[in-house]
Amino acid sequence: MSEPTLESIGDYNTLKGEKKRIVWAVIIAGIIIGVIYSISYKVFDDSEESIKTQDEIIVVPMSQSIPVR
């Protein structure tokens, strides 16, 4: 079984029929999922409830590394 060539692919220049509907369905599903995610991100935003921390690790000394067991 060999791989198809460009000449043997029936819809090389344009998609037709069921394949075209599948492509559009995937595009529309992606847009819908993106819109749902954006709306839920705005509605359920927890930024005001999060705990702010100011601890920053500046330098980790090499002599105090954690031993591997």
Side-chain angles (χ1 to χ4, degrees):
M1 180 183 266
S2 63
E3 293 188 24
T5 62
L6 295 178
E7 291 81 18
S8 66
I9 296 176
D11 58 347
Y12 174 68
N13 292 328
T14 59
L15 290 175
K16 295 180 182 176
E18 185 178 352
K19 289 184 180 183
K20 190 172 189 175
R21 285 191 296 268
I22 290 172
V23 169
W24 278 109
V26 169
I27 291 171
I28 291 171
I31 291 172
I32 290 172
I33 290 171
V35 168
I36 291 171
Y37 176 78
S38 298
I39 292 170
S40 64
Y41 184 78
K42 296 288 184 186
V43 170
F44 300 111
D45 185 21
D46 292 341
S47 62
E48 61 270 352
E49 296 179 8
S50 62
I51 299 172
K52 305 291 183 198
T53 60
Q54 297 297 327
D55 298 337
E56 293 183 17
I57 299 174
I58 298 173
V59 176
V60 177
M62 295 297 287
S63 62
Q64 297 179 0
S65 61
I66 300 172
V68 179
R69 295 181 187 210

